[in-house]
Amino acid sequence: MLKPKVPTMPQPTGRITPPTVVEPTAMVQQKRAPQSSMPLVAPTAAARPTVQLTPGAVIALVGGGAAVVLVVGAVLVSMLLAVAITGASVAVCALVSRSLIASDNQHR
């Protein structure tokens, strides 16, 4: 059916620079000093300041979290209520307009 055409590599145009030759360099190994008989001590981690929560701080955190939850919940409930009221009012408007159109057709 359909044969895909593989593109061919076009010949380069313009000025072509010859490849550069990289010559290997000699590696010089240095002699190591004899190791001492003392074992190496691993560096200790830097002391981090610890966070200490006092009972007052815990109460403040819990109170702040509860306030955030209450505010977000109130906003979400009010948005849901606004959508429900809008939907109900649109439905009432649709019923009233349908009734007016139907009664207009009957009187003629």
Side-chain angles (χ1 to χ4, degrees):
M1 274 180 32
L2 298 175
K3 292 183 180 179
K5 294 183 179 179
V6 178
T8 58
M9 181 67 182
Q11 294 297 325
T13 57
R15 187 172 179 182
I16 301 173
T17 58
T20 58
V21 178
V22 178
E23 295 181 12
T25 58
M27 293 181 60
V28 178
Q29 290 184 349
Q30 296 178 351
K31 294 183 178 179
R32 293 185 179 191
Q35 292 187 2
S36 63
S37 61
M38 282 181 80
L40 294 176
V41 178
T44 58
R48 295 183 196 166
T50 57
V51 177
Q52 294 181 355
L53 294 176
T54 61
V58 171
I59 291 173
L61 284 174
V62 170
V68 167
V69 167
L70 289 175
V71 169
V72 170
V75 168
L76 291 177
V77 167
S78 64
M79 289 172 62
L80 180 65
L81 187 60
V83 169
I85 290 172
T86 304
S89 64
V90 168
V92 168
C93 290
L95 287 175
V96 168
S97 61
R98 180 179 162 192
S99 173
L100 289 174
I101 291 172
S103 66
D104 190 36
N105 287 339
Q106 287 178 356
H107 292 295
R108 289 189 178 185

